[in-house]
Amino acid sequence: TLWTCLCGNTLFFFNNTKDNDYVEKLDLSDVMSLTDDCSGDRNLEAAGFLLYMKDEEIQITAPSLEARELWKGFIYCVVELSVPSSLNLLPGQIHMMRETVETERERRNNLSRTLAAASSSNLSLVEDMPECYQPVSRIEAEIMLERHSDRGNLLLRPSRDGVSLAVTTRQDLNGSVFRHYRVDRKHDGGYTFDVETPIPCATLHGVINCLVEKTNGALTPFIMEGPYEESITFVQANEESGEKSLRCAPSTPMPPVPVPALPPKPGIQTSLTGTSLTLLTITHTFTMAPCWLYIKSIISNQLYNYSSH
């Protein structure tokens, strides 16, 4: 059983409501359809629904019928960018969903414009963007810095105009204090950190380094890295029943690989007169560093049970 939250058009899953690190995420752009789940639940007040993806079905359980309608409505909003008319919603709930549609539409437009501007200037987001870049909105940046305060407090993101970029920072002063700064792209190359006295920087990495240096390290780049598996797992079918299950590979270290000795070169004779010859035997030691593999298998038509909150 996992807890989930909706951010943008992505569901993030957590082991419990107090966790800061999610264990799995689901991009809702692959949603094919959504239907109510009529199967029974031990909690008589709970109500579930099914998300049909391209390769799997996902069961989500809400604490009540009203909560289920809200979840379905918000998912429809971020997937179809429209408020569903088929749901029984109150006027206040419809207003919230209209705001959600506008926010998601603005987020997508900003992301598209940023990617287009980066492409036109031959800027590779993968290679040239600093690690602290996140394709999120202003509100999402604040939430991300708040939830993961141990990962850093300085984040680079797209700006609202879709052309420039922005920096969001978070610090503690009797609570969270957020600041947002604009980073403009210059026509002749390079960037300008747009404050009262603009600061020119040759690259985006220079912008981030400038902020770190001017604050004496009080601001540190936000590095968000997903969790990694601690063991090698794989899906294997039972030879008798054919039932598939997730298995863990043995953690026994691999035996050392013997190094074959080099054979002497044939046909070579050496004549030494008055020379002391010392034979030096060099032993090569090969150290095999452990290699952790993260293997994720998606099984067609596999049913996963999640609980939402």
Side-chain angles (χ1 to χ4, degrees):
T1 300
L2 300 174
W3 297 85
T4 186
C5 71
L6 179 64
C7 186
N9 66 337
T10 304
L11 286 174
F12 293 88
F13 297 97
F14 302 84
N15 285 319
N16 58 65
T17 56
K18 296 181 180 180
D19 279 357
N20 289 326
D21 296 328
Y22 63 88
V23 296
E24 187 60 89
K25 67 178 181 178
L26 178 68
D27 187 351
L28 295 178
S29 59
D30 291 334
V31 171
M32 306 295 290
S33 62
L34 187 155
T35 60
D36 290 342
D37 181 13
C38 299
S39 60
D41 191 276
R42 288 179 295 179
N43 182 359
L44 298 180
E45 296 182 356
F49 60 94
L50 293 172
L51 279 176
Y52 291 92
M53 314 295 290
K54 290 181 179 179
D55 300 314
E56 58 186 340
E57 298 174 6
I58 298 176
Q59 183 184 42
I60 297 180
T61 303
S64 65
L65 286 172
E66 181 182 2
R68 181 178 70 179
E69 294 301 288
L70 286 174
W71 269 101
K72 289 164 57 180
F74 282 115
I75 290 176
Y76 273 125
C77 286
V78 298
V79 171
E80 300 181 354
L81 292 181
S82 62
V83 178
S85 58
S86 59
L87 301 180
N88 186 18
L89 301 172
L90 298 174
Q93 296 170 341
I94 294 176
H95 178 71
M96 285 192 302
M97 292 188 184
R98 285 175 179 167
E99 291 183 337
T100 300
V101 170
E102 292 304 317
T103 301
E104 177 62 13
R105 183 178 287 116
E106 181 182 2
R107 186 188 72 86
R108 294 189 190 183
N109 290 339
N110 289 342
L111 181 58
S112 298
R113 286 194 293 264
T114 300
L115 293 174
S119 176
S120 63
S121 62
N122 295 322
L123 175 65
S124 170
L125 293 179
V126 176
E127 298 178 0
D128 297 333
M129 277 292 185
E131 286 188 273
C132 61
Y133 174 80
Q134 294 290 333
V136 296
S137 66
R138 174 184 286 231
I139 299 300
E140 290 171 335
E142 293 182 357
I143 294 174
M144 190 173 289
L145 292 174
E146 181 83 45
R147 290 188 65 98
H148 306 283
S149 58
D150 58 326
R151 304 293 180 87
N153 56 8
L154 164 63
L155 182 150
L156 181 68
R157 61 175 176 83
S159 182
R160 287 183 176 181
D161 60 13
V163 178
S164 57
L165 295 165
V167 169
T168 297
T169 66
R170 174 194 174 274
Q171 290 185 288
D172 288 314
L173 184 62
N174 299 322
S176 294
V177 178
F178 295 100
R179 292 290 183 267
H180 304 276
Y181 305 93
R182 182 187 297 275
V183 180
D184 290 323
R185 192 191 313 274
K186 297 194 296 184
H187 296 292
D188 56 348
Y191 299 86
T192 300
F193 190 70
D194 192 9
V195 288
E196 185 176 1
T197 303
I199 303 173
C201 298
T203 64
L204 290 174
H205 292 277
V207 173
I208 303 303
N209 293 336
C210 173
L211 282 168
V212 174
E213 293 173 1
K214 286 188 174 294
T215 59
N216 295 321
L219 295 178
T220 57
F222 178 85
I223 309 299
M224 184 65 178
E225 190 176 42
Y228 291 95
E229 298 293 328
E230 296 182 355
S231 60
I232 301 174
T233 57
F234 60 98
V235 176
Q236 188 176 52
N238 186 283
E239 294 181 358
E240 297 180 357
S241 65
E243 181 180 356
K244 293 182 178 181
S245 62
L246 192 64
R247 301 178 62 85
C248 184
S251 57
T252 307
M254 297 290 291
V257 179
V259 181
L262 294 175
K265 295 182 179 180
I268 298 180
Q269 296 182 357
T270 303
S271 176
L272 297 175
T273 303
T275 302
S276 175
L277 178 64
T278 302
L279 297 178
L280 178 62
T281 302
I282 302 176
T283 303
H284 296 273
T285 303
F286 294 88
T287 303
M288 299 183 65
C291 178
W292 304 106
L293 301 179
Y294 175 61
I295 303 175
K296 177 181 178 183
S297 299
I298 299 178
I299 305 173
S300 179
N301 299 324
Q302 178 69 36
L303 185 62
Y304 294 92
N305 291 315
Y306 294 122
S307 291
S308 65
H309 180 67

